[in-house]
Amino acid sequence: MLSKSLPAEKPFFHSNPSLPPPPPPPHSTMRDMVACFSDHAVRVAESSCSGSFASSLTSPPLTANKNTASSSYKATLSTRKQLLVNLIWHRTNTGDASVLVAVEENSSAKRDGQCQVLRKKKGNRPFPAGNSACTLFWDFSAAKYAGAAPEPVKDYYLVVLADDELVLLVGDTCRDFIKSKFERKPRVAEFSMYRRAEQVFGVTHHSTKARFCSGGREHEVMIRCKGDESDAASAELYVCVDRKRLINVRRVSWNFRGNQTIYVDGSPIDVLWNVHDWWFRGSPSGGGAATFVFRTRSNMDSRLWSEEELAKGTSQFTLLIQASKNR
């Protein structure tokens, strides 16, 4: 059940309309937070994807000039071993699609793991990840996409098998694949998504779906970000969940950064936004990105989460959306 949003907590945006908007602080919370997600993204995509990789690769990436979506999962095997699995979906202007799958052991001191770039429509691939023997199975040959979205929406599967246990099942045809592939269904490990990141270009309106807690229902999250410094009268900046407007930002010239707590299914969700570059640097010809971050909070007594908490990979769910005016 959705309820009314709370007043902004510890706001860090300018709020006096009689003064000109201040320049952005050199090390703002929002900038540091976004850097925590994206510093290593391009290097991951361009690397050879062999050997060990740093723990920072588990951060949801933002890759330039592509519609990109990434999902990060934690899986717990029957042996209580934990694996981290990242799926990074790319789709170019020409319609070419690919996915990078990265697997590592959460308990490994060196964070050894492997990442695999899947460009073929169908196949399987064995590989080691730390001390785990993994195999990827995938089939995108009949996959359906929604417009230019990088991630398929139906008629596909991507399965990760580790130490003879299914640690990730993505896609609507996983069940059929498992029935045809295995005489006896392997054990399914406990797994859940803990991060989701999306980067889109050339839009002022973006809609996605998110499940903010394990076992909870899926919600539609919609963001509207329209206007710039030269056309303040037509500015629109708001956030809806299940088509109900929960955040409405006015006077964007001053409130280009902020945070607010909303309730979804009775649980507090912290929402942070930064539209400075979209508002002041964005134009029809180039530049400008708006960033929104959603993160569940365990209870209202805990403080507003920080970028340091993000880096620790806590159990709370995080959704990051970055929208750019053009490519």
Side-chain angles (χ1 to χ4, degrees), residues 153-164:
V153 294
K154 62 181 298 186
D155 298 336
Y156 78 101
Y157 66 78
L158 191 154
V159 174
V160 180
L161 186 74
D163 296 343
D164 297 321

Side-chain angles (χ1 to χ4, degrees), residues 39-149:
D39 278 347
H40 303 275
V42 176
R43 285 198 292 276
V44 175
E46 293 177 350
S47 68
S48 61
C49 294
S50 60
S52 64
F53 53 78
S55 61
S56 57
L57 300 196
T58 60
S59 297
L62 298 178
T63 305
N65 298 325
K66 295 180 180 178
N67 281 347
T68 304
S70 74
S71 300
S72 300
Y73 301 84
K74 290 182 180 179
T76 303
L77 280 66
S78 58
T79 58
R80 310 317 297 170
K81 179 192 294 186
Q82 286 192 330
L83 296 178
L84 303 179
V85 183
N86 245 18
L87 303 183
I88 306 170
W89 306 86
H90 300 296
R91 191 168 175 84
T92 65
N93 287 336
T94 59
D96 296 329
S98 65
V99 58
L100 182 148
V101 182
V103 182
E104 64 173 323
E105 290 187 5
N106 194 23
S107 59
S108 174
K110 296 182 179 180
R111 308 296 289 249
D112 291 338
Q114 286 279 338
C115 51
Q116 309 288 326
V117 179
L118 310 182
R119 292 190 175 91
K120 294 182 178 180
K121 297 291 186 180
K122 183 177 181 179
N124 64 81
R125 183 180 301 173
F127 65 96
N131 296 320
S132 299
C134 301
T135 305
L136 286 174
F137 303 93
W138 72 95
D139 185 356
F140 308 129
S141 56
K144 305 296 190 302
Y145 296 83

Side-chain angles (χ1 to χ4, degrees), residues 27-308:
H27 300 289
S28 69
T29 299
M30 181 64 77
R31 286 187 182 277
D32 290 343
M33 176 189 61
V34 175
C36 172
F37 279 106
S38 60
D39 278 347
H40 303 275
V42 176
R43 285 198 292 276
V44 175
E46 293 177 350
S47 68
S48 61
C49 294
S50 60
S52 64
F53 53 78
S55 61
S56 57
L57 300 196
T58 60
S59 297
L62 298 178
T63 305
N65 298 325
K66 295 180 180 178
N67 281 347
T68 304
S70 74
S71 300
S72 300
Y73 301 84
K74 290 182 180 179
T76 303
L77 280 66
S78 58
T79 58
R80 310 317 297 170
K81 179 192 294 186
Q82 286 192 330
L83 296 178
L84 303 179
V85 183
N86 245 18
L87 303 183
I88 306 170
W89 306 86
H90 300 296
R91 191 168 175 84
T92 65
N93 287 336
T94 59
D96 296 329
S98 65
V99 58
L100 182 148
V101 182
V103 182
E104 64 173 323
E105 290 187 5
N106 194 23
S107 59
S108 174
K110 296 182 179 180
R111 308 296 289 249
D112 291 338
Q114 286 279 338
C115 51
Q116 309 288 326
V117 179
L118 310 182
R119 292 190 175 91
K120 294 182 178 180
K121 297 291 186 180
K122 183 177 181 179
N124 64 81
R125 183 180 301 173
F127 65 96
N131 296 320
S132 299
C134 301
T135 305
L136 286 174
F137 303 93
W138 72 95
D139 185 356
F140 308 129
S141 56
K144 305 296 190 302
Y145 296 83
E151 188 175 6
V153 294
K154 62 181 298 186
D155 298 336
Y156 78 101
Y157 66 78
L158 191 154
V159 174
V160 180
L161 186 74
D163 296 343
D164 297 321
E165 294 189 36
L166 297 169
V167 298
L168 186 63
L169 302 170
V170 177
D172 59 333
T173 62
C174 288
R175 181 175 297 182
D176 294 337
F177 162 73
I178 292 172
K179 285 182 179 180
S180 64
K181 178 66 178 179
F182 302 100
E183 292 184 5
R184 291 187 59 187
K185 180 181 177 181
R187 179 186 177 90
V188 180
E190 300 176 7
F191 68 90
S192 61
M193 184 190 301
Y194 68 96
R195 286 180 185 164
R196 171 77 177 175
E198 300 181 12
Q199 185 177 34
V200 294
F201 293 84
V203 298
T204 61
H205 172 285
H206 180 62
S207 180
T208 188
K209 294 185 181 297
R211 186 173 282 109
F212 292 102
C213 62
S214 179
R217 69 185 183 92
E218 196 172 59
H219 296 276
E220 181 185 14
V221 178
M222 191 274 288
I223 294 173
R224 175 71 166 174
C225 187
K226 177 185 177 183
D228 54 41
E229 188 179 16
S230 63
D231 190 18
S234 64
E236 294 184 57
L237 178 53
Y238 58 83
V239 176
C240 298
V241 178
D242 296 334
R243 301 186 179 183
K244 182 175 181 179
R245 189 178 301 195
L246 298 183
I247 295 179
N248 189 27
V249 181
R250 302 181 185 278
R251 296 181 180 269
V252 184
S253 292
W254 291 278
N255 297 331
F256 50 81
R257 294 191 187 99
N259 62 272
Q260 189 166 326
T261 302
I262 63 176
Y263 275 91
V264 178
D265 292 336
S267 300
I269 309 294
D270 292 320
V271 183
L272 289 84
W273 66 87
N274 181 354
V275 297
H276 178 274
D277 289 355
W278 178 290
W279 185 260
F280 293 105
R281 301 176 189 174
S283 68
S285 60
T291 302
F292 294 82
V293 184
F294 302 74
R295 187 171 185 266
T296 58
R297 197 196 297 201
S298 56
N299 58 71
M300 282 305 299
D301 295 330
S302 61
R303 66 185 178 87
L304 185 68
W305 52 281
S306 65
E307 62 271 20
E308 288 81 7

